[in-house]
Amino acid sequence: TFIRNCQINNCITQHYVIRMSGGISELDEISISFDDINNGIGGIEFNNKKIIIEHSIFMRTNIESSIKIEQNEANSDQIMINDCTFDSCQGTVSNCISISSHTTNFEIKNIIIQNIKQEDSGYLVNINCNNKLNTILLDNISFINNECKSDYGGGSGLFIIGVDTIWFSKCQFINN
């Protein structure tokens, strides 16, 4: 499935604006936004093979994550999230990105996460690599004007498990 240059604004549904399962998904220049966060729901849910999301904006999604990816154990195809902005998003477990991955081909880069004020426990980014990666690289990720709460105190916005090493390269943490 290929979705390019689409704007989805104030689309009311029960869980996610877009749900995709099976096959390859490539999304480019997608905008999912809600004028009022109280009307927002999740952005995109994937249960696919190869998943590429680029040059996209998620604004005021709520209840569910902006992007949720659940790969089953038999699926090890590429996951890439590149050049995306998450602005004023909310969620119950993960506000912006929730991934359970079984791939060794994983990229997350050039991301802006901004203006998020968590009301309940949860994370901005929640990634489970399921012990398939030795190292995960977070490349050029900017966290700007965010307030976090977590189950373990301290307000951690990132929850990354199932990987030995986490590398931060060219990341910014501004006014969090």
Side-chain angles (χ1 to χ4, degrees), residues 3 6 11-12 15 18 25 51-52 78 90 116 120 148 150 156 158 164:
I3 303 174
C6 293
C11 180
I12 306 299
H15 294 283
I18 299 172
S25 293
I51 301 163
I52 297 175
Q78 177 187 19
Q90 296 293 315
I116 296 173
D120 297 314
C148 301
S150 75
S156 175
L158 300 172
D164 294 332

Side-chain angles (χ1 to χ4, degrees), residues 10-55:
N10 295 321
C11 180
I12 306 299
T13 184
Q14 203 158 16
H15 294 283
Y16 287 92
V17 172
I18 299 172
R19 283 186 136 158
M20 303 176 132
S21 61
I24 296 171
S25 293
E26 292 188 24
L27 287 75
D28 190 12
E29 296 184 19
I30 303 300
S31 172
I32 296 178
S33 65
F34 296 89
D35 294 336
D36 182 344
I37 195 160
N38 295 314
N39 295 329
I41 44 93
I44 304 170
E45 179 183 40
F46 297 94
N47 295 305
N48 296 50
K49 293 186 175 187
K50 179 179 174 181
I51 301 163
I52 297 175
I53 306 164
E54 295 190 281
H55 316 107

Side-chain angles (χ1 to χ4, degrees), residues 76-127:
S76 61
D77 291 340
Q78 177 187 19
I79 294 175
M80 181 176 71
I81 303 172
N82 176 41
D83 192 25
C84 292
T85 297
F86 301 87
D87 193 343
S88 304
C89 300
Q90 296 293 315
T92 52
V93 174
S94 176
N95 296 50
C96 303
I97 300 170
S98 178
I99 299 174
S100 178
S101 166
H102 290 274
T103 185
T104 57
N105 190 353
F106 184 96
E107 294 178 79
I108 182 167
K109 58 187 179 181
N110 307 312
I111 304 294
I112 298 171
I113 297 175
Q114 64 187 9
N115 303 319
I116 296 173
K117 311 288 188 250
Q118 286 185 318
E119 300 296 323
D120 297 314
S121 293
Y123 305 96
L124 304 175
V125 176
N126 180 0
I127 300 173

